[in-house]
Amino acid sequence: MREALVLARMAEAAGEVPVGAVLVKDGVIVGSGWNQPIGAHDPTAHAEVMALRAAAKPAGNYRLTDTTLYATLEPCAMCTGALVHARVARLVYGAADPKAGAAGSVFNLAQTDKLNHRLEVEGGVLAEECGALLKDFFGRRR
């Protein structure tokens, strides 16, 4: 999660919402990303999607089984859906997202029996630090 926080700060420095994500397999980071939708002019360029893209290309496979995604913010519906489709085994996130979280806060796409894959979910890891980064960012913008 500490590495995801470093990436979130990179997003913030670029004027993006400070969210970072790393994908880990066997204790090794295989993909990382930070929010880039503004700079990339791409509504799908969320930190989680960027980390999945970074891992899938060298793996030569969109299925990223036996991996854990660490994200500083609970993923939205788009990102949680991508994690399900990629067959990520586990999601660990920092701050909950009471407005758009799709891993238990608003929706629970990560564990619904309506889809063909479910993720193990652990929230609240370094939640205060992750949440403060977002709160400070939006506080400066208001």
Side-chain angles (χ1 to χ4, degrees):
M1 188 62 76
R2 292 269 174 223
E3 182 61 28
L5 276 162
V6 168
L7 296 167
R9 289 183 183 96
M10 290 174 65
E12 181 177 32
E16 305 276 359
V17 175
V19 178
V22 294
L23 190 69
V24 175
K25 184 175 179 100
D26 300 326
V28 176
I29 294 174
V30 294
S32 61
W34 59 91
N35 268 7
Q36 300 177 51
I38 297 167
H41 309 290
D42 179 355
T44 68
H46 289 196
E48 302 90 338
V49 171
M50 301 307 287
L52 292 174
R53 288 176 182 164
K57 194 167 224 78
N61 196 339
Y62 74 96
R63 290 200 173 167
L64 300 166
T65 59
D66 302 319
T67 58
T68 298
L69 184 99
Y70 294 85
T72 58
L73 179 66
E74 178 183 0
C76 69
M78 175 186 70
C79 293
T80 303
L83 297 173
V84 168
H85 287 293
R87 306 300 194 273
V88 170
R90 184 169 176 245
L91 165 65
V92 178
Y93 67 85
D97 186 346
K99 293 185 178 180
S105 289
V106 178
F107 308 103
N108 196 349
L109 295 177
Q111 296 178 320
T112 181
D113 61 0
K114 304 281 188 222
L115 298 174
N116 61 348
H117 177 72
R118 286 166 243 356
L119 290 87
E120 177 186 332
V121 176
E122 178 182 353
V125 175
L126 299 179
E128 285 188 32
E129 192 172 344
C130 293
L133 188 62
L134 289 157
K135 186 176 181 179
D136 293 347
F137 174 80
F138 286 114
R140 287 190 302 274
R141 295 197 137 207
R142 291 186 183 122

